[in-house]
Amino acid sequence: MLAGQHKSLALGLALLPLSQRLPQTHLSPKNDFVQKLQNIENLGGVISIHGRLLKHGLLGDTFISNHLLNAYLKFHRIENARLVFDEIPQPNVVSFTSLMAGFVGHQRAREALVLFGRMPVDEIMPNEFTFATAVNACSVLAHVEAGRQVHALVQTFGLGRNLVITSSLVDMYGKSNETNDARRVFDEMPDRNIISWSSMISAYAQNARGHEALELFCELLKDNRLLPNQFTYASVLNACASLGRLVAGKASHAAVIRRLPQMNEVVASALLDMYAKCGLINYSCTVFRQMETPSVIPYTAMIVGAAKHGLGRFSLELFEEMTRRGIRPNDVTFIGVLHACSHSGLVDFGIDHLNSMRERYNVVPDARHYTCVVDMLGRAGRLDEAYRLASNILVENGNDIALLWGSLLSASRTHGRLDLAVEAGNRLIEANQQVTAAYVTMSNTYAVVGNWENVHGLRTEMKKRGLQKEPGCSWVEIRSTTYVFYAGDISLCPRGAEVMHVLKELELRMRERGYTGRKGGTGMVFVDVEEEAKEAILGLHSERLALGFALVSMANGVTIRVMKNLRMCEDCHVAFKLISDIVGRDLVVRDLNRFHHFRDGSCSCVDYW
DNA sequence: AATCAAGCGT
């Protein structure tokens, strides 16, 4: 509305005869205005100068209008900025670039690209600033086709060696999950700054290629001219977290303390997330409590971390605490909260939260939230309710379908509900999602109820369709060596006999304590935890081998973590607790304490990096 | 006058 007034005023001014306009003094009010616009500290000031510019008839001046446009952007008034742009008689490349950057910064990247496309029509030549912004727009949209087109234009304009543009391209390819293209651009850069390196490290970290992220980080450290900063460490920690590499994560923590003048919230969030994913929830908590005013993101990370460790009550307390402090939960926070309820069997709390999220917090539940609730009902054995809910959710995205029906299928198998397992499995197969896993789980459900004919039938069907289960693997990180295990023959496993002995003993004790693996959720490590093919069942699951090896190492006084499929296996955590009970000592805690290098912020950790 | 990197879910 405000901007609309300006528009009509501007038209009115244009009708005034030149003589009636205020004369320009040779003291140049122009420069005066520009300086004021640059140093302005609040929106009111921008509006007042806007009015005075109108009076002086200075809005036709592209240079001044560009300053005004950017002043509006400084206070996030993207609409006002756009209206200023629309009134510039001859917008130049800076006008275009500034408004494009404004759109990108306000979740309107598509409009930035539209504006970019308008430039040739207005016969404005884009420059390096414009291209960097255009690439950034594609990056935000993860629109790799547009990104490739812009990349091609960059080459045509002879800007293929520009540092800023190429760094943006690395980021764009990374965000579009085209990691190899990101690396190609990175390798071809004539020179690189810390942003180029951080972008490439983060491209690896975000695309499940943590090993390469850490490798590249090591390479970066060899160059003494470039210092890693907060961005770099956040990505490195993210890589450690996704790999479950506690030792590297610890060392990064040490490096953060030693090498960064101060830690910001993003690094702290990455750090607490890393500790949670590597199994040290107490460390997560310590990092979290060191933050004075954590925002929604560290709160969410902590809630999710606690949930994964089976600390459902703690998750809910954290949620209470954050809302009490007036921090608004977002969609991800609720995924964490529902996840917590699901994994701690707090079904009714979970349903309450689902219902309150829209009403009280104005967060609309989507497929991911409903999937959590389906999972929660399924784990609790309330399969009919789970099925009813799942049938009523509208899911289009293949990945969402896989999560929803995959969750129901798994619960149906656990509870021996053949009817629902078949229904859920067929949904997956129809949607061409997780087809192999669906066949295997359906077949396992037939096995649970003793219907061997159908087990065999499904196996034949799989063979006919040429479906083969990829071998899963698990690994253990001991000191800084990673031991990888595949399902199969025990004789291939290092210290196989010892491993076998420990596992047998453990399984016996667990059965004595009533862990049959039929209750869902916890205690599943030892019975059918992985949906592996029947052949693998004859041998051993990779997780059991990894766990057994870890236990043997632990018995020899070695500190270990057990990992599964890139993430910490929450069931292993439960298993550790049981093992501690069985051996009558708190092995886990004692061993974790040996890692305690950080006291009072000082550090005695070896220089890993 | 305008351009590049980071953290929370499955």
Side-chain angles (χ1 to χ4, degrees):
Chain A
M1 272 136 276
L2 190 61
Q5 277 169 9
H6 291 149
K7 196 171 175 178
S8 49
L9 272 171
L11 287 172
L13 267 172
L15 298 173
L16 282 175
L18 252 180
S19 58
Q20 282 184 29
R21 295 192 199 175
L22 293 172
Q24 287 195 17
T25 64
H26 62 273
L27 279 174
S28 182
K30 242 175 95 167
N31 289 340
D32 208 37
F33 280 125
V34 166
Q35 219 168 30
K36 283 207 177 94
L37 280 170
Q38 276 180 321
N39 302 322
I40 219 145
E41 272 168 14
N42 56 57
L43 180 63
V46 184
I47 293 167
S48 127
I49 292 191
H50 191 168
R52 284 158 65 195
L53 289 172
L54 277 168
K55 252 199 264 173
H56 287 72
L58 286 171
L59 283 181
D61 185 304
T62 307
F63 186 80
I64 291 202
S65 281
N66 287 348
H67 270 288
L68 180 64
L69 192 162
N70 280 295
Y72 272 124
L73 287 181
K74 198 164 145 193
F75 300 102
H76 311 289
R77 302 304 284 247
I78 178 77
E79 271 310 304
N80 298 48
R82 193 179 62 83
L83 288 160
V84 170
F85 177 90
D86 287 342
E87 293 294 322
I88 306 175
Q90 308 231 287
N92 64 10
V93 59
V94 178
S95 324
F96 273 90
T97 308
S98 302
L99 188 60
M100 280 170 64
F103 280 135
V104 175
H106 290 83
Q107 288 77 47
R108 291 168 64 171
R110 212 160 278 283
E111 287 160 89
L113 290 181
V114 171
L115 204 56
F116 181 61
R118 223 187 86 186
M119 291 181 72
V121 183
D122 287 26
E123 295 182 324
I124 308 289
M125 283 287 245
N127 62 17
E128 68 257 51
F129 291 84
T130 325
F131 280 116
T133 310
V135 172
N136 199 16
C138 302
S139 171
V140 168
L141 296 166
H143 191 331
V144 71
E145 289 81 17
R148 287 190 203 283
Q149 284 179 33
V150 177
H151 190 171
L153 271 174
V154 166
Q155 312 274 30
T156 317
F157 275 71
L159 291 168
R161 294 164 70 86
N162 177 286
L163 176 62
V164 175
I165 297 177
T166 45
S167 297
S168 312
L169 284 167
V170 169
D171 174 63
M172 183 276 294
Y173 284 121
K175 294 250 165 59
S176 313
N177 308 318
E178 299 286 346
T179 323
N180 294 338
D181 288 322
R183 183 62 198 244
R184 202 166 304 129
V185 175
F186 179 81
D187 283 338
E188 285 167 7
M189 290 174 75
D191 39 50
R192 310 181 181 104
N193 60 12
I194 189 62
I195 297 180
S196 332
W197 284 87
S198 301
S199 300
M200 192 60 231
I201 291 170
S202 123
Y204 280 132
Q206 290 167 349
N207 287 289
R209 291 170 66 166
H211 286 293
E212 287 147 295
L214 298 186
E215 219 168 87
L216 197 64
F217 179 61
C218 286
E219 218 178 296
L220 164 67
L221 293 176
K222 287 183 201 144
D223 187 339
N224 296 324
R225 290 163 304 176
L226 293 175
L227 281 181
N229 59 20
Q230 315 238 21
F231 290 88
T232 327
Y233 281 112
S235 296
V236 168
L237 286 165
N238 188 10
C240 297
S242 67
L243 292 168
R245 288 274 298 267
L246 179 66
V247 176
K250 279 261 180 192
S252 303
H253 187 177
V256 163
I257 292 170
R258 269 178 297 140
R259 300 162 93 124
L260 284 182
Q262 55 193 357
M263 199 194 310
N264 67 11
E265 191 187 270
V266 177
V267 175
S269 304
L271 201 50
L272 86 82
D273 179 56
M274 181 277 294
Y275 279 126
K277 283 179 180 150
C278 291
L280 301 193
I281 191 72
N282 291 340
Y283 276 42
S284 300
C285 222
T286 307
V287 173
F288 180 71
R289 289 305 179 199
Q290 278 167 2
M291 287 185 245
E292 276 178 27
T293 50
S295 75
V296 59
I297 292 181
Y299 260 110
T300 303
M302 197 62 233
I303 287 170
V304 169
K308 281 204 179 126
H309 284 262
L311 305 171
R313 299 263 173 202
F314 182 42
S315 280
L316 296 182
E317 276 165 30
L318 285 162
F319 178 76
E320 287 298 316
E321 184 187 304
M322 75 175 275
T323 51
R324 213 170 35 238
R325 292 174 79 168
I327 299 156
R328 278 190 51 188
N330 64 22
D331 53 335
V332 185
T333 316
F334 279 106
I335 288 170
V337 168
L338 293 172
H339 197 70
C341 297
S342 173
H343 283 254
S344 299
L346 305 168
V347 184
D348 295 321
F349 279 106
I351 289 169
D352 286 347
H353 278 295
L354 179 73
N355 291 330
S356 76
M357 58 186 280
R358 191 203 302 262
E359 295 154 25
R360 273 178 57 190
Y361 302 101
N362 198 25
V363 180
V364 182
D366 62 30
R368 302 165 305 172
H369 300 99
Y370 290 118
T371 299
C372 273
V373 177
V374 167
D375 185 61
M376 181 171 76
L377 291 167
R379 278 172 196 271
R382 290 159 68 167
L383 278 146
D384 293 301
E385 289 166 80
Y387 175 69
R388 225 175 302 131
L389 180 57
S391 312
N392 285 322
I393 304 169
L394 196 71
V395 280
E396 284 153 9
N397 178 295
N399 199 29
D400 289 345
I401 292 174
L403 287 169
L404 176 64
W405 292 102
S407 159
L408 191 75
L409 173 57
S410 156
S412 306
R413 196 272 328 255
T414 304
H415 291 92
R417 278 292 297 267
L418 190 58
D419 54 336
L420 295 183
V422 171
E423 172 75 27
N426 284 334
R427 298 264 191 162
L428 288 173
I429 294 165
E430 277 162 27
N432 203 21
Q433 292 290 325
Q434 304 280 319
V435 175
T436 312
Y439 273 110
V440 173
T441 310
M442 279 162 76
S443 143
N444 286 350
T445 317
Y446 280 117
V448 166
V449 301
N451 185 336
W452 298 105
E453 205 171 298
N454 277 323
V455 171
H456 190 72
L458 279 180
R459 294 286 169 189
T460 314
E461 177 71 22
M462 281 179 73
K463 268 198 192 120
K464 260 201 311 214
R465 291 188 57 172
L467 299 173
Q468 248 187 329
K469 176 86 171 72
E470 278 183 38
C473 72
S474 302
W475 62 84
V476 189
E477 183 190 347
I478 297 180
R479 302 240 156 92
S480 49
T481 307
T482 304
Y483 299 84
V484 184
F485 298 88
Y486 293 91
D489 193 346
I490 190 78
S491 64
L492 300 173
C493 174
R495 311 179 76 149
E498 279 174 87
V499 168
M500 235 11 238
H501 179 76
V502 170
L503 285 175
K504 284 235 168 83
E505 177 77 13
L506 199 57
E507 281 165 7
L508 188 72
R509 303 284 186 94
M510 287 184 80
R511 267 195 211 109
E512 281 169 14
R513 283 151 190 256
Y515 285 86
T516 61
R518 286 293 182 88
K519 287 185 173 170
T522 55
M524 294 285 291
V525 177
F526 306 96
V527 189
D528 243 358
V529 67
E530 232 177 22
E531 314 292 349
E532 288 183 26
K534 198 178 173 186
E535 300 81 66
I537 295 168
L538 298 174
L540 277 167
H541 294 308
S542 62
E543 282 159 316
R544 293 171 72 190
L545 292 178
L547 185 67
F549 185 73
L551 292 175
V552 168
S553 307
M554 250 166 97
N556 289 307
V558 178
T559 307
I560 54 132
R561 306 302 312 161
V562 176
M563 304 282 103
K564 178 218 163 191
N565 297 338
L566 305 182
R567 294 283 162 95
M568 198 201 71
C569 162
E570 58 195 89
D571 293 324
C572 289
H573 204 73
V574 173
F576 275 128
K577 283 188 195 141
L578 280 156
I579 295 151
S580 304
D581 285 355
I582 290 164
V583 299
R585 277 182 304 153
D586 205 340
L587 277 179
V588 180
V589 172
R590 193 200 66 185
D591 278 346
L592 297 188
N593 283 340
R594 289 173 28 167
F595 259 124
H596 203 89
H597 298 296
F598 310 109
R599 288 211 180 98
D600 314 320
S602 65
C603 158
S604 59
C605 190
V606 285
D607 206 343
Y608 185 87
W609 294 120

